Amino acid sequence: MTKKVENIAVLTSGGDAPGMNAAIRAVVRACSYYSIKCFGIYKGYEGLINNEIEELNARSVRNIINKGGTFLKSARSKEFRTIEGRQKAYENLIKNNIDALVVIGGDGSFTGALKFSEEFNFPVVGIPGTIDNDINGTDYTIGYDTALNTVVEAIDKIRDTASSHNRLFLIEVMGRDAGDIALNAGIGAGAEEILIPEENMGVERLIESLRKSKKTGKTSSIIVVAEGDKSGKNIFELGEYVEENLTNYEVRVSVLGHIQRGGSPSCYDRVLASKLGVGAVETLLDGKSEVMIGIVHKVVTIVPLNTALDKRSHRHDGLIKVADITSV
Ligand code: ATP
């Protein structure tokens, strides 16, 4: 890529995450700082295909750093998965004189961005914005820290009712492929057991472990279950199984669902989003493309999109052991 970047567009795509607004704000203000134009694309790739594009300036993004969701709105676009859809997207970028694109989203959004860049030789940079923390090459994704705190707060409240009634609660949290939310929120909220997609503890071992806890004097229990856990049962079937195999416990199931995506971003997510947003603009100005801006050991890092899309290596380190030890 040799052409000087002068007009950058930004969009948010896939599931929304707290901190996306802070990332958009940082992109817009970095453009303003470096005296280049910035355009906001509404509704992700769908809006790009439909030419829902508007120029933004530093004042367009005031009072949004503290807001959850994304003011540009996000969407899932079937049409962008087709070459015809991506062709329309390209034509709209050219029509608006845009010469580089910042995509804030998860792995699906990055897959689309990479394909688009390869097909049309169009510069793209990705910013990881997803509550799941399931992107390779970055320690954290924007929204993950806020979601974690939301989950811990919810579990704390459920614990009040669990302990008042000698109940066992199975709490489902987000995480189809990554157990980061379940494991960290589970430890933070003092869960007795944590089921994650990366490990299959088996339902028999789960029952055995709960029996043991009961013998040690526990009268209520919290089990955190990631939605992608490998028990082979959905959370309601798991609840029934536990109730059938464990006496003297009333079992209740709680699915936290979409509350995990919402809310004002934590300070950590706001700062992370600000760093990555500035990093994305500087990277495009440096002439780089098809990369993601991530954070590794607190340092802003440039990672090829291909690497970001690799199956993330197992990163739970000693956490599973910590969970086991602190829940005896
Ligand atoms: P989250 O992690 O929150 O689900 P995501 O970015 O992974 O976010 P997806 O719904 O998987 O969310 O992807 C967002 C959009 O990216 C899709 O709606 C589609 O428009 C585009 N996309 C995904 N995969 C592809 C692909 N293989 N080719 C082209 N575009 C794609």
Side-chain angles (χ1 to χ4, degrees):
M1 195 187 89
T2 47
K3 188 170 168 272
K4 191 172 169 283
V5 168
E6 288 171 337
N7 301 307
I8 290 179
V10 56
L11 61 80
T12 46
S13 170
D16 64 300
M20 279 184 162
N21 276 326
I24 299 166
R25 173 180 178 271
V27 169
V28 173
R29 294 207 166 160
C31 287
S32 180
Y33 181 87
Y34 289 111
S35 304
I36 53 174
K37 281 191 181 175
C38 191
F39 294 81
I41 298 168
Y42 290 88
K43 300 187 204 128
Y45 294 130
E46 200 62 18
L48 180 53
I49 290 169
N50 296 326
N51 201 25
E52 295 181 60
I53 302 175
E54 165 178 278
E55 191 174 339
L56 302 173
N57 61 43
R59 298 286 76 73
S60 314
V61 289
R62 67 180 144 206
N63 294 334
I64 63 166
I65 194 166
N66 55 329
K67 302 266 187 342
T70 156
F71 91 100
L72 286 179
K73 309 216 181 285
S74 190
R76 305 201 196 259
S77 168
K78 274 199 188 139
E79 207 179 345
F80 195 75
R81 290 177 183 270
T82 66
I83 179 68
E84 293 79 13
R86 293 193 293 276
Q87 177 71 38
K88 280 190 209 162
Y90 176 70
E91 283 162 14
N92 284 331
L93 288 169
I94 298 303
K95 196 155 72 188
N96 288 282
N97 269 332
I98 294 163
D99 41 34
L101 180 63
V102 176
V103 173
I104 306 170
D107 55 350
S109 304
F110 289 174
T111 306
L114 186 56
K115 208 174 243 182
F116 180 74
S117 174
E118 286 170 350
E119 282 167 354
F120 297 98
N121 190 26
F122 197 90
V124 295
V125 164
I127 296 180
T130 166
I131 64 166
D132 293 335
N133 210 36
D134 59 352
I135 305 283
N136 193 44
T138 184
D139 290 344
Y140 295 104
T141 57
I142 297 167
Y144 167 65
D145 182 68
T146 307
L148 212 48
N149 285 301
T150 302
V151 171
V152 166
E153 206 183 314
I155 299 176
D156 285 350
K157 288 179 178 155
I158 291 172
R159 181 179 287 286
D160 289 345
T161 184
S163 52
S164 303
H165 294 275
N166 285 4
R167 277 180 185 156
L168 185 149
F169 264 89
L170 288 141
I171 304 173
E172 186 183 271
V173 303
M174 284 193 181
R176 267 166 295 173
D177 305 305
D180 294 55
I181 291 183
L183 194 53
N184 286 275
I187 291 174
E192 275 65 50
E193 295 293 344
I194 304 165
L195 308 188
I196 57 174
E198 296 90 337
E199 295 261 329
N200 182 8
M201 96 178 284
V203 282
E204 284 83 27
R205 248 177 67 211
L206 172 67
I207 299 293
E208 202 41 50
S209 169
L210 291 168
R211 278 202 192 107
K212 260 195 211 149
S213 309
K214 196 149 179 58
K215 276 194 194 136
T216 66
K218 286 194 184 179
T219 52
S220 65
S221 282
I222 300 284
I223 305 173
V224 175
V225 185
E227 55 185 345
D229 93 283
K230 296 285 183 287
S231 67
K233 297 181 189 297
N234 70 37
I235 186 116
F236 296 100
E237 292 165 351
L238 198 59
E240 278 169 25
Y241 183 86
V242 172
E243 196 155 56
E244 279 162 16
N245 288 277
L246 212 64
T247 47
N248 301 329
Y249 262 139
E250 268 182 73
V251 177
R252 293 287 184 275
V253 170
S254 180
V255 177
L256 295 190
H258 284 85
I259 65 160
Q260 295 165 89
R261 282 197 190 281
S264 179
S266 67
C267 181
Y268 182 85
D269 274 330
R270 297 180 200 192
V271 176
L272 176 66
S274 302
K275 283 176 166 176
L276 301 189
V278 169
V281 172
E282 289 179 341
T283 301
L284 284 170
L285 290 177
D286 276 352
K288 296 193 180 71
S289 175
E290 296 178 12
V291 293
M292 174 189 81
I293 308 303
I295 193 100
V296 177
H297 302 313
K298 296 189 184 164
V299 178
V300 174
T301 310
I302 300 169
V303 185
L305 275 178
N306 263 328
T307 308
L309 288 169
D310 278 351
K311 203 96 197 106
R312 199 187 58 164
S313 52
H314 193 72
R315 289 194 314 199
H316 296 313
D317 310 322
L319 270 188
I320 293 174
K321 189 172 175 198
V322 170
D324 286 345
I325 291 175
T326 54
S327 62
V328 289

